[in-house]
Amino acid sequence: MFGTTPQASSQRQLLVAIWVAALLISLPLFLFNFIQREHQEQQRLQDLADHKKQEFLGWMDSIDVDLLRLAHLPSTNASLTASVLAEQVHSDLDLNHHFLNETLESYLSPFGDFLEVFMLNSSGDVVYSSDPEQIGKNKASRRYFIQGIHAPYIQNVYHSVTLQSAAMTLARPLLLPSPDGGHQHKVGVIAARADLEKLRQLMVSADEEASPRSYLVNRYNFFITPPESSPDSELVYPRATHSKGVNSCLRNRPLPQVYLDHKDQKVRGVGHWLPRHQLCLVVEENYTSGIYLLLQQLLGLMALLLPFSLAAWWLAPRLSFFKSNDAADKNRVDTRFLSLIGHEIRTPLNGIIGMLSLLQESQLNAEQRQQAQVADASAQQLLNLLNHLIARARQGGEPASVEEMQWIQLNQPLELLLRSFTWAAEKKGLSLSFQGDPQLESLEVQTQLTLLLQLVSNLLENAAKFTEKGGIELEVSCELQAAKQARITLTVRDTGPGIAPQDQDKIFQPFQRLQPDPHHPVTSLGLGLAISKELAEQLQGQLELHSKPGQGSQFMLTFIAPVRKTSRNTQ
């Protein structure tokens, strides 16, 4: 497609500039979208879990109130009186039961929330039940009778062996007035078995396929409501679950960010421990890795850039500022082109920096806030580097002006720069350590921060690339001198393979690389340390290397810079 003619060269220049600019803009934006998406998804799960919790507690209060109403119905009192008083005739007892059955119809499933309502006398005998087969049975050993004859009682949800399903029974004492009209006395218990199908319906989402799953688990790790709403599920209930999410919820701890559910699928969720009912409410959804989102965005970027690339390939040789013949014209073209591209890059980059600042002011957890700070620092460094390149191009490579020098406290930007390598270090299991000089907390140093950060970034990138185990350390030291100046030393140490003495001078030359390890091929161009040496000279400093094979490497940058007391109050 491209040859070696000046026209082909101009085409390559424009295409490379377009793709590089697009990537420089997109990467911080992709990171911002990823952090924002994770925060929104977690908040959505939290809101749904809070809503389900309120629905559950409301339903529990509702059935408790229903049982209280039943306990105070006249027909209930009449039926119990007929069963307790020996002189009551049998026909009146049947008549009272008939009236009570009609009254209970609206409280029983499918109209109400109870499967069965029954009354027990003070001996624990069932004297009335909406299920006639239960009348006459003795329930004196049941906990709901032992507790319910003294005070209102709600039994924790359990799996009934006889019913082969989850069950929950409510009970409260039945009171009758004394014959002399005095205080009421306890003569029995009214109890009800709740219809847990209504509880399952509370947990089911309107659109099960598109919504997170909600379910309840008791303290013995048994499902009370199944996660699957479909009756055709291949899983058989009752069954237990021992996922990390459920175990954390039962211990009243935050759920892991990602874990395997009862089907060994990756999910994320939110849990609420309900101590009064000894239940764990879990809301979870299938986890989609952020890599898929990143690939989708990259594919979209490529699809967007293809037509622009074709247009640039056609326009490049026709643009006037690509047709220079002499060196002076070429420099002017490079400066004009770089200024044009720089302006187009800075506009969206400033928008990204602004959105990252707003994101840091929102409600984030500690890990998300650190990620946002690293993204903001990287975007700021990218903007400063872009401004520096444009300024240097306009000056034609002359030394830095006073405007490029700035007063800065070195500890914070250097620490943020080190933290931007967290992902690369964690992938290899490396530790990162920052040692700042306490003197620099109250001092500002005048230097070219953009060049300094670029130099240290090159050194850290090399350390992360060639170190396979151990760690990387960045140390800053300050030695005060006369005339308000200080000797600043930046040291990058790693526990990599080290560099032989005969190779230590060669690696500072452009396109020079050491003999690569066959197990760890080197993919770099060999420009990082050469550029770092040039940057050290621009900073009027010196870059030194101390290394031995098998003992790691230590790069030291030393330069003299003006210092002054910081203008901000330090804590």
Side-chain angles (χ1 to χ4, degrees):
M1 180 176 178
F2 300 122
T4 58
T5 63
Q7 176 180 345
S9 176
S10 65
Q11 290 172 326
R12 284 195 299 268
Q13 290 177 9
L14 188 57
L15 288 181
V16 169
I18 291 175
W19 282 83
V20 169
L23 289 176
L24 290 177
I25 295 172
S26 300
L27 290 179
L29 184 60
F30 290 167
L31 180 59
F32 170 78
N33 287 338
F34 175 75
I35 296 175
Q36 187 74 3
R37 172 180 172 271
E38 291 293 312
H39 177 66
Q40 291 175 349
E41 291 294 327
Q42 193 69 20
Q43 187 61 44
R44 181 171 63 88
L45 289 178
Q46 184 66 53
D47 293 342
L48 181 58
D50 294 341
H51 175 69
K52 292 295 182 181
K53 176 183 176 182
Q54 294 303 319
E55 283 190 332
F56 170 77
L57 295 177
W59 182 76
M60 294 296 296
D61 292 340
S62 173
I63 60 176
D64 191 26
V65 170
D66 285 346
L67 187 62
L68 177 62
R69 289 197 187 103
L70 287 175
H72 290 82
L73 287 175
S75 54
T76 301
N77 292 330
S79 180
L80 182 62
T81 304
S83 302
V84 172
L85 299 178
E87 63 270 14
Q88 185 70 30
V89 296
H90 191 272
S91 60
D92 289 343
L93 179 62
D94 292 338
L95 182 61
N96 287 324
H97 283 188
H98 174 72
F99 287 142
L100 186 56
N101 287 336
E102 290 183 348
T103 304
L104 291 178
E105 185 175 356
S106 62
Y107 289 90
L108 295 173
S109 181
F111 306 105
D113 293 322
F114 297 137
L115 292 175
E116 179 189 1
V117 176
F118 53 97
M119 291 189 296
L120 305 94
N121 60 21
S122 58
S123 300
D125 298 322
V126 179
V127 296
Y128 168 79
S129 175
S130 58
D131 181 5
E133 295 182 359
Q134 301 297 322
I135 297 177
K137 294 184 178 180
N138 186 274
K139 308 288 186 178
S141 62
R142 302 300 174 90
R143 181 176 292 275
Y144 56 79
F145 173 76
I146 298 172
Q147 299 286 342
I149 200 169
H150 299 290
Y153 173 71
I154 298 179
Q155 188 175 18
N156 294 332
V157 183
Y158 64 98
H159 275 283
S160 172
V161 178
T162 57
L163 297 175
Q164 286 298 306
S165 64
M168 181 177 65
T169 305
L170 295 82
R172 60 174 49 247
L174 278 173
L175 306 175
L176 285 181
S178 302
D180 56 0
H183 296 290
Q184 293 179 329
H185 61 281
K186 300 172 183 176
V187 294
V189 172
I190 182 170
R193 185 157 54 86
D195 182 6
L196 295 187
E197 177 63 19
K198 302 293 180 69
L199 187 58
R200 186 192 70 81
Q201 293 173 4
L202 285 179
M203 294 294 110
V204 173
S205 301
D207 185 359
E208 186 68 16
E209 294 185 358
S211 301
R213 301 178 294 273
S214 305
Y215 57 89
L216 292 168
V217 179
N218 68 7
R219 59 178 176 173
Y220 302 110
N221 289 81
F222 272 88
F223 285 111
I224 298 304
T225 59
E228 297 84 8
S229 61
S230 173
D232 301 329
S233 173
E234 60 183 11
L235 299 178
V236 179
Y237 294 92
R239 64 181 292 116
T241 176
H242 294 279
S243 69
K244 289 185 177 180
V246 170
N247 289 337
S248 297
C249 182
L250 292 175
R251 292 175 175 83
N252 198 19
R253 297 174 181 172
L255 273 61
Q257 287 190 345
V258 180
Y259 58 92
L260 298 179
D261 66 357
H262 63 291
K263 290 184 178 180
D264 289 335
Q265 295 178 344
K266 278 189 176 182
V267 296
R268 65 168 136 208
V270 175
H272 280 305
W273 170 243
L274 309 172
R276 179 183 172 191
H277 306 287
Q278 296 291 291
L279 291 176
C280 176
L281 169 62
V282 178
V283 177
E284 62 189 17
E285 66 178 357
N286 293 336
Y287 175 74
T288 303
S289 174
I291 296 178
Y292 296 110
L293 178 63
L294 179 61
L295 291 177
Q296 291 176 359
Q297 292 175 331
L298 287 176
L299 289 176
L301 177 64
M302 293 177 63
L304 183 64
L305 286 178
L306 283 177
F308 282 98
S309 301
L310 293 176
W313 170 71
W314 184 81
L315 286 174
R318 294 164 175 81
L319 295 177
S320 59
F321 56 79
F322 280 115
K323 297 181 179 179
S324 303
N325 295 321
D326 54 6
D329 289 341
K330 185 177 184 303
N331 288 336
R332 285 195 299 270
V333 168
D334 290 343
T335 302
R336 182 180 174 186
F337 174 74
L338 189 58
S339 300
L340 177 63
I341 294 298
H343 175 75
E344 298 301 323
I345 295 176
R346 277 184 294 190
T347 300
L349 190 57
N350 284 326
I352 294 173
I353 292 173
M355 294 304 296
L356 287 171
S357 299
L358 293 177
L359 178 62
Q360 293 180 66
E361 296 175 3
S362 62
Q363 296 181 355
L364 303 176
N365 58 35
E367 181 179 0
Q368 291 170 338
R369 186 168 301 280
Q370 184 181 14
Q371 292 173 347
Q373 290 175 348
V374 171
D376 183 57
S378 301
Q380 293 283 359
Q381 182 183 354
L382 181 60
L383 180 61
N384 292 335
L385 178 61
L386 182 63
N387 292 333
H388 173 76
L389 290 176
I390 295 174
R392 296 289 289 174
R394 290 173 178 172
Q395 294 173 359
E398 297 176 0
S401 63
V402 177
E403 288 77 9
E404 291 184 12
M405 308 291 286
Q406 54 182 301
W407 292 97
I408 190 71
Q409 287 181 291
L410 286 180
N411 283 346
Q412 183 179 7
L414 289 174
E415 184 176 8
L416 286 175
L417 176 63
L418 178 66
R419 296 306 170 198
S420 67
F421 289 85
T422 300
W423 181 83
E426 289 181 348
K427 189 169 67 173
K428 290 185 173 183
L430 304 177
S431 63
L432 296 178
S433 174
F434 177 78
Q435 300 292 331
D437 194 320
Q439 296 183 88
L440 293 175
E441 297 294 334
S442 59
L443 291 176
E444 291 180 338
V445 179
Q446 187 181 40
T447 184
Q448 300 177 68
L449 182 62
T450 301
L451 298 185
L452 183 63
L453 292 179
Q454 184 182 355
L455 191 157
V456 178
S457 178
N458 289 345
L459 298 180
L460 292 173
E461 183 179 358
N462 272 358
K465 184 184 302 180
F466 295 104
T467 303
E468 296 299 327
K469 61 180 180 179
I472 301 171
E473 179 184 359
L474 173 59
E475 182 183 357
V476 186
S477 63
C478 172
E479 181 183 346
L480 297 177
Q481 296 184 343
K484 295 184 178 180
Q485 290 190 329
R487 180 186 299 273
I488 307 297
T489 303
L490 297 153
T491 306
V492 176
R493 299 186 185 91
D494 63 59
T495 57
I499 303 172
Q502 64 271 20
D503 295 327
Q504 293 184 9
D505 290 332
K506 183 171 67 175
I507 63 173
F508 287 99
Q509 300 174 11
F511 304 103
Q512 294 294 322
R513 297 179 296 177
L514 302 183
Q515 183 66 30
D517 187 339
H519 300 291
H520 300 89
V522 177
T523 57
S524 65
L525 297 175
L527 289 173
L529 292 177
I531 294 175
S532 298
K533 186 176 181 180
E534 293 180 4
L535 293 174
E537 293 174 355
Q538 293 183 36
L539 291 169
Q540 298 181 0
Q542 185 176 3
L543 183 61
E544 300 177 355
L545 167 63
H546 303 280
S547 179
K548 292 183 179 180
Q551 298 182 14
S553 301
Q554 175 177 289
F555 290 86
M556 296 179 59
L557 170 66
T558 305
F559 63 96
I560 305 296
V563 295
R564 70 181 183 185
K565 291 289 183 180
T566 179
S567 58
R568 296 188 299 268
N569 293 328
T570 57
Q571 300 294 332

